[in-house]
Amino acid sequence: MPSTRWRALGPGSVLGTLRADLRKAAREVVVVGPFIDDYFAETAVACCPKGVRLRVLTRSPAAVDPMFAGHAEAALARFRGRPLTEVRPLDRLHAKLVLIDETTVFCGSANWYRYSLEEGLEVVLRGPVDEAPTLLDELASLWDQAGVSRAEEAGSSPRVRPRTPSARSAVTEGFRTEVLDPIAAAKLASVPGAFVLGKRTDGIKRRG
């Protein structure tokens, strides 16, 4: 018999539902995603109750689109400023999920930055972890693959020059366009005639 405990969340409904669930967290929240901006980091930190452990698995700022790097760096700074929070880098990461108290999970196509959550045409499933019995094992494997960098151990992060405006406040209005994955861009660059977001990739020879 099909489960009736899973819910599909479409464009514009993910963040509101997630905020409500984060506020109910009692023990631990795990955020996994390759692209996390300062807007989402502020949301997660603001909604997680004090005393709840927060773990974050994401790509380092050096492994994202340079236009996004400033937002990634600001997100890391926001997480690191919160007690009971650990961040680990995993640069080939592509999984996207939020796990709350090992009971509820959000997983789907959405990335954890503003454009994807508010404007992208995404689908995210929210449901019980006990109906995905291997999920915790897979998540533990990813976490173990992500070693704590020397900068993380020292309590500081690599210096990345922001490429996006962030001077207005410690938290900006978030990343407002689609993120270009450098790994995907490199693959497409090797394909003659390939386009990325309407622009030819660097590896394509142009006619003189």
Side-chain angles (χ1 to χ4, degrees), residues 65-78:
D65 181 345
M67 293 298 295
F68 188 78
H71 285 279
E73 182 70 12
L76 293 180
R78 187 67 183 96

Side-chain angles (χ1 to χ4, degrees), residues 139-192:
L139 180 57
S141 176
L142 289 175
W143 186 257
D144 289 343
Q145 290 178 51
V148 179
S149 67
R150 292 180 181 177
E152 184 69 21
E153 290 172 347
S156 61
S157 59
R159 299 298 299 171
V160 176
R161 184 179 181 181
R163 304 295 182 89
T164 51
S166 58
R168 289 189 299 275
S169 64
V171 177
T172 71
E173 296 180 356
F175 197 70
R176 298 290 194 123
T177 187
E178 191 71 69
V179 173
L180 175 60
D181 188 331
I183 296 175
K187 292 290 185 182
L188 288 171
S190 65
V191 179

Side-chain angles (χ1 to χ4, degrees), residues 10 13 29 32 45 60 63 65 67 82 112 116 124 133 147 154 166-167 170 175 178 181 187 197 201-202:
S13 63
V29 171
V32 178
V45 169
S60 66
D65 181 345
M67 293 298 295
R82 179 189 184 273
W112 310 123
S116 184
V124 172
S166 58
F175 197 70
E178 191 71 69
D181 188 331
K187 292 290 185 182
L197 298 179
T201 58
D202 293 338

Side-chain angles (χ1 to χ4, degrees), residues 3 11 19 38 48 64 72 76 93 99 104 133 136 142 157 161 203:
S3 170
R19 283 191 182 107
D38 34 2
C48 282
V64 300
L76 293 180
L93 181 70
L99 178 69
T104 302
L136 297 181
L142 289 175
S157 59
R161 184 179 181 181

Side-chain angles (χ1 to χ4, degrees), residues 89-108:
L90 189 59
D91 286 353
R92 294 181 61 195
L93 181 70
H94 199 256
K96 306 116 179 175
L97 64 88
V98 174
L99 178 69
I100 301 173
D101 291 336
E102 294 191 352
T103 59
T104 302
V105 65
F106 290 73
C107 57

Side-chain angles (χ1 to χ4, degrees), residues 28-47:
E28 180 183 70
V29 171
V30 182
V31 176
V32 178
F35 312 118
I36 302 177
D37 73 354
D38 34 2
Y39 176 79
F40 181 82
E42 175 63 21
T43 295
V45 169
C47 291

